[in-house]
Amino acid sequence: MDRVKELVAAARKNTGGESPCRVLHCVARLCLLLYSADNWAGWIIGRVRKQAMESTITDLTLESFLPIERMKEMMPSAHLSYVDAKPFPHVVLDNFLSPDVLDEVLAEFPKPDQIRWQQFDNAREIKLASAKEATFGPVTRLLFYHLNSMTFLEFLSGVTGIQDLIPDPSFDGGGLHQIMRGGKLGIHADFNKHPKYGLDRRLNVILYLNKHWREEYGGHLELWDRSMTKCEAKVLPVFNRMMIFGTTDFTYHGHPDPLQCLEGMTRKSLALYYFSNGRPAGQISGEHSTIFRDRQEGEFGFKMKRRMRKLAKDLLPPIVARRLGIPDS
């Protein structure tokens, strides 16, 4: 009641002693403004509280992000699996990290239209990527840092036998990867030198973030033999699956067939690459970028021609397209 009296007095002052109706009108407006301000302040406070409560990660220690004891226990068996794997050394680790941490990472993962992705759209690859730390959520950023830590490097060395591994703080070519329905990544061998530091690329680690991913969606990481005659292993990109594999000029891998996941779903992963200063003499070759390989003669060329024909059909008037011999379908 006292507050209302104050408002009436203020209204009378501001209206020069005008009629009671005019005074009440001003009082009503002031009340509305106060109500709106109180609600706005309440919304802000509630939003801050919500954001604070949204993250369930309260323990930021190394042990909360990396399964230290399990890493020690699994290292011998993982090493045997790695060196014996075909067509080249690799190992698949399921449920490797804390699902609580990965739930946070998945919740932070940017949508296709949410950030400025690096976009690839050609006959060989259709995908999105981001190596910029500013696009990583806070939990994702911490996870990347832990996967570049000495603790994890020593684990990787124990599993692979590759000593003195060096992480890449710039995440060049790595970081966040996302592929939408219809996207793909042709079979390839990776670039073999870091473009900035000149170090030898030795190891890939891919962490998949795809819940409820079915076989029929595709997106398997395919591992092909050195002669590119057959696929010898397939890895389904399911949630909390970590893939570790060595990289040479002949470690051909990719998922060459377009994704068949449901509309709105995407294939999400984190990618990290590890290097060394030098490599075994038998693996030394000239510096090269990514080497794409056809699964059959003219695979990429044929698809590119088909895409160009479709583009021409979409852009040209039907009569012109028919005169040029571009089919209707």
Side-chain angles (χ1 to χ4, degrees), residues 19-264:
S19 67
C21 289
R22 175 67 175 161
V23 171
L24 289 174
H25 177 71
C26 291
V27 169
R29 290 185 63 186
L30 287 168
C31 287
L32 181 61
L33 287 171
L34 282 171
Y35 177 78
S36 299
D38 286 343
N39 277 325
W40 180 249
W43 183 86
I44 293 174
I45 294 171
R47 182 63 181 166
V48 170
R49 286 176 177 169
K50 182 181 178 183
Q51 288 178 341
M53 295 174 63
E54 277 177 354
S55 176
T56 59
I57 306 299
T58 56
D59 182 2
L60 301 180
T61 62
L62 183 66
E63 288 77 7
S64 70
F65 281 82
L66 295 177
I68 306 297
E69 292 304 317
R70 185 168 173 235
M71 285 160 58
K72 294 176 182 176
E73 294 172 0
M74 72 190 319
M75 195 183 298
S77 60
H79 174 69
L80 292 176
S81 297
Y82 178 86
V83 297
D84 290 340
K86 303 296 181 185
F88 49 81
H90 70 272
V91 64
V92 178
L93 305 177
D94 283 332
N95 302 312
F96 181 71
L97 298 174
S98 163
D100 292 336
V101 170
L102 288 195
D103 280 340
E104 294 279 347
V105 172
L106 182 57
E108 295 175 350
F109 204 95
K111 294 178 174 56
D113 59 352
Q114 196 172 350
I115 64 170
R116 183 172 293 181
W117 293 90
Q118 182 181 10
Q119 300 185 29
F120 300 83
D121 188 359
N122 54 65
R124 296 180 172 89
E125 52 187 338
I126 305 172
K127 67 177 186 178
L128 304 173
S130 179
K132 296 181 179 179
E133 288 186 54
T135 64
F136 305 166
V139 178
T140 304
R141 193 178 304 116
L142 280 174
L143 178 58
F144 270 124
Y145 294 164
H146 286 306
L147 294 175
N148 275 347
S149 68
M150 182 55 69
T151 300
F152 193 67
L153 292 178
E154 290 174 348
F155 170 72
L156 290 177
S157 291
V159 170
T160 66
I162 303 173
Q163 301 302 312
D164 303 319
L165 285 168
I166 303 169
D168 178 16
S170 66
F171 304 106
D172 195 283
L176 310 177
H177 288 177
Q178 183 162 211
I179 300 179
M180 295 184 286
R181 176 179 170 85
K184 63 175 184 175
L185 177 61
I187 301 300
H188 65 282
D190 294 309
F191 65 86
N192 63 346
K193 290 277 190 178
H194 194 286
K196 183 176 180 180
Y197 309 126
L199 298 170
D200 294 278
R201 183 166 170 179
R202 303 296 303 280
L203 206 60
N204 288 1
V205 170
I206 303 176
L207 179 62
Y208 296 110
L209 301 172
N210 308 296
K211 288 190 173 183
H212 315 300
W213 196 267
R214 299 179 180 177
E215 286 278 346
E216 58 264 32
Y217 296 164
H220 301 75
L221 184 68
E222 298 184 6
L223 310 183
W224 283 65
D225 66 345
R226 185 176 179 132
S227 61
M228 281 297 298
T229 56
K230 62 179 178 178
C231 172
E232 294 197 13
K234 286 187 175 184
V235 179
L236 194 68
V238 297
F239 184 76
N240 205 357
R241 172 169 284 176
M242 179 176 283
M243 174 72 171
I244 303 172
F245 61 99
T247 58
T248 69
D249 291 354
F250 305 101
T251 50
Y252 297 123
H253 61 281
H255 62 94
D257 295 313
L259 287 186
Q260 299 298 317
C261 56
L262 300 177
E263 198 67 46

